[in-house]
Amino acid sequence: MNAKTVRTPLLSVRDLRKSFGDREILKGISFDLMAGETMVLIGPSGSGKTTVLRCLNHLEEPSGGAVMLDGETVGGSFIGTGGAFVPAGARELAEQRRKFGFVFQRFNLFPHLTAVQNVAIGPRKVLGLSRAEAEARAERELNRVSLADHMHKRPSQLSGGQQQRVAIARALAMEPSLILFDEPTSALDPELVQEVLDVMRELALEGMTMIVVTHEMTFARQVADRLIFMADGYIVEEGAPEDIFTAPRQEKTQNFLKHVLHR
Amino acid sequence: MNFDWAIIQMAAPLLLQGTMMTLKIGAVAAVLGLAGGIVLGLLSLGGWPLVRFLVRAYVDFIRGTPLLIQIFIVFFGLPVMGLRLGEFWAGVIALSLNCAGYVAEVVRGTVGSVEKGQTEAAMSIGMTRGKILMYILLPQSFRPMVPALTNDLITLLKNTSLLSVISVYELTRSGQAIIASHFVPLEIFTLLAIYYYVIISSLSYASRVLERRLPQW
């Protein structure tokens, strides 16, 4: 890795805004993310954490602000310096979107496909790999999330934890620049949470760039390189997890942590 | 009341010829109607707003006007356009156009009711609209489409009887011919009802078998 890639952020978010009708959900979010970093977003429900993730890869169209991935504006480009903003076409946007892996709260696996087909369909149909290449890659990624034995099962035959790991493998198979996790363990039975967190911890250690929205505070504290606390559509506080957990500066952060840590 | 059983014996085999014609019209119109309807349904889910509007307008017209009128329009309209195809094809085309309108609605409705998370997951791995439709939404729609499409095909089969008004020699028309020469309307119409019932029951049965055979997740 050369000095330049270390210093330039992989992802830059500037003044990201989103409104649904009159309701302003995001009121100007800005942050940078370095390659290899794991950032965890915490905050009360309704604070806009999930909306941040969904705006990054344009599952929701942001109402304002900019998302830059690797120096490229996501969802459109500016012509010249200070020139007009030109929205991206559907094809271009799809191309950019696949650089963000996305792991959904409710897995959203394709029920008509087996685990290996779920993972292989992206490489096959989007990246244009041959069937054999795509399946080899899918097997490799399923191995990585310890599901080699369940390759040919359909989602309905898998537990929630296994389904979520297939979903992670599906994201990995597209070789994304970073992966966005939207409350990946919130829909799981308590005893299945750990297997998913373990996979995510492993990915973080391997240097995958990740943004994780979660209510798992132990995970946040142990795995995050950086923690962001959000409330009411703003970033309230940002810093090293240890600092925020032991000495939160803002009153909102203090109240939130008091609630979630002393349940 | 005396029911003329001798006439029934005489008419039953005669009506078979009309039955064959009804089945033939039904089969050709079903194939054309399904194919056209699926194409229209996909277009109404596609990315071109003008095309979506045109499909909508077409479906509206089909649903908002009586089939009998549509049949006459096609029957008298084709020759004006220089197409002298005869009453058989005029009838088949009218029924196909009608069926396609209803099938388009079924396709649009069923594909549109696949859970939103499926589309989002497909988008997140970089699929474009066409690929999402082809590889994710359509395969999940086949089974739920079967009952509604069966209804449309049943309606189509019953509607073939309307072609008697443009002299297509299908089941109803062949019955009317017997009535005209023997004046036994009750016997013949009862017989016709039984013929239609048997045809449509077989279709319903086949559809239930097909639905069971299609995979479910």
Side-chain angles (χ1 to χ4, degrees), chain B residues 4-27:
Chain B
D4 192 342
W5 292 102
I7 280 293
I8 302 269
Q9 263 187 353
M10 184 276 293
L14 277 181
L15 290 180
L16 279 179
Q17 196 192 345
T19 305
M20 291 317 291
M21 181 56 93
T22 286
L23 290 176
K24 195 168 142 195
I25 294 168

Side-chain angles (χ1 to χ4, degrees), chain A residues 54 57 59 90-91 94 97-98 100 102 104 108-112 121-122 125-126 154 170 174, chain B residues 115-128 131 135-137 139-140 215-217:
Chain A
R54 293 170 60 85
N57 73 342
L59 281 180
R91 193 168 299 271
R97 207 179 257 132
R98 71 173 170 78
F100 296 86
F102 202 103
F104 297 86
N108 297 1
L109 291 180
F110 306 129
H112 59 302
I121 193 163
K125 303 299 181 191
V126 177
R154 287 189 200 279
R170 176 174 68 183
M174 298 304 290
Chain B
E115 198 230 332
K116 188 162 148 270
Q118 292 291 305
T119 301
E120 291 190 346
M123 282 164 76
S124 80
I125 54 173
M127 283 196 181
T128 45
K131 285 178 182 169
Y135 302 119
I136 306 300
L137 301 182
Q140 296 187 52
Q216 189 182 32
W217 307 285

Side-chain angles (χ1 to χ4, degrees), chain A residues 16-18 20 25-26 31 41 48-63 67 74 93 97 100-106 108 180-183 211 213, chain B residues 115-121 123-124:
Chain A
L16 190 64
R17 289 167 185 277
K18 177 68 185 175
F20 293 101
I25 304 296
L26 299 182
F31 62 84
L41 277 172
K49 310 177 300 277
T50 290
T51 309
V52 170
L53 291 195
R54 293 170 60 85
C55 282
L56 292 182
N57 73 342
H58 281 240
L59 281 180
E60 299 294 353
E61 200 63 40
S63 312
V67 177
V74 179
L93 185 55
R97 207 179 257 132
F100 296 86
F102 202 103
V103 175
F104 297 86
Q105 182 176 349
R106 311 206 64 91
N108 297 1
L180 312 174
F181 293 85
D182 181 16
E183 301 197 26
I211 303 181
V213 169
Chain B
E115 198 230 332
K116 188 162 148 270
Q118 292 291 305
T119 301
E120 291 190 346
M123 282 164 76
S124 80

